[in-house]
Amino acid sequence: MRFTVAIDGPAAAGKGTISKAVAKEFGFAHLDTGALYRAVGVKAASGMDPVEAAQTLTPADTVGEALRTLEAGQAASKVAVIPEVRAALLEFQRRFADQEGGAVLDGRDIGTVICPNADVKLFVTASAEVRAHRRWLELGGDEAEVLAQVKERDDRDMNRADAPLRPAVDAILIDTSDLSIDAAVALATAAIRAKLA
Ligand code: DC
């Protein structure tokens, strides 16, 4: 069986948590596509050409704590505007989506560009303040600075020319500003179960 779930949305909206939970619930494979861009961003920040970094990326590059910092998020968002970087990562994501047994991909352009025919598309969002507060609880630092970075990244991700962050026309919107994790996961699970039925 092939079944693709596309989960898009801005930073810290809850995509990752929801994706992991539904992948576990349905036994689907999960790809955090942000990790691909973070890995490219970190390599570019240390001097490598971003297009070459994307073209030569290995699975081992896409794991590790160094990818989870605010700086890695910013670096990812900067290389993500480069069309050649996006093109280099496209095939890998599509192949992952097309695997036997079902797949969940989370990112910014999964429902719009990578998997326009996904079986279920979710757009997970929350206010910038709520998202910044979550990131700050996770990473610490100055909360006002975290909010400024969240807004800067939203702005870059939504306004780039190639594959900007936006909900697919057929995406189900989940606003997690006032939802518990369990409630958000329950909404996502119900949408997938309805489609599988
Ligand atoms: O989901 P994340 O915070 O790990 O993503 C980091 C950055 O990578 C994000 O700000 C923009 C970019 N990105 C993208 O352009 N397309 C994706 N499918 C996933 C992430």
Side-chain angles (χ1 to χ4, degrees):
M1 178 207 61
R2 283 179 167 71
F3 191 93
T4 306
V5 181
I7 305 188
D8 291 304
K15 301 185 302 289
T17 306
I18 293 174
S19 301
K20 285 190 199 96
V22 299
K24 188 162 177 234
E25 172 73 19
F26 295 98
F28 296 160
H30 170 225
L31 181 67
D32 163 14
T33 67
L36 308 177
Y37 290 91
R38 284 172 183 261
V40 173
V42 166
K43 285 183 177 227
S46 64
M48 192 169 178
D49 172 64
V51 178
E52 190 191 339
Q55 287 168 342
T56 57
L57 204 67
T58 67
D61 295 329
T62 66
V63 288
E65 280 308 302
L67 300 183
R68 304 317 318 164
T69 64
L70 283 179
E71 293 75 21
Q74 286 288 5
S77 172
K78 287 178 187 159
V79 296
V81 306
I82 305 170
E84 293 84 357
V85 166
R86 308 198 69 83
L89 301 176
L90 188 135
E91 266 320 302
F92 172 76
Q93 295 174 79
R94 286 209 175 135
R95 267 203 312 279
F96 188 94
D98 197 36
Q99 70 183 280
E100 180 61 31
V104 181
L105 288 82
D106 75 87
R108 303 289 187 289
D109 62 338
I110 309 303
T112 50
V113 174
I114 305 295
C115 305
N117 299 320
D119 298 281
V120 176
K121 297 181 186 178
L122 305 176
F123 193 85
V124 181
T125 188
S127 73
E129 286 70 19
V130 165
R131 291 184 289 117
H133 188 66
R134 287 179 189 154
R135 264 295 132 86
W136 174 75
L137 287 175
E138 221 175 272
L139 300 173
D142 173 5
E143 191 170 351
E145 171 62 16
V146 176
L147 176 60
Q149 292 215 17
V150 161
K151 287 185 169 166
E152 187 189 329
R153 201 135 74 87
D154 283 357
D155 186 53
R156 196 183 300 110
D157 293 348
M158 290 190 296
N159 293 309
R160 66 182 176 222
D162 191 14
L165 168 66
R166 63 176 56 133
V169 285
D170 49 350
I172 298 166
L173 203 74
I174 299 180
D175 187 328
T176 66
S177 303
D178 300 312
L179 283 184
S180 68
I181 290 172
D182 286 351
V185 169
L187 285 177
T189 305
I192 296 167
R193 213 180 288 293
K195 195 65 195 261
L196 279 168

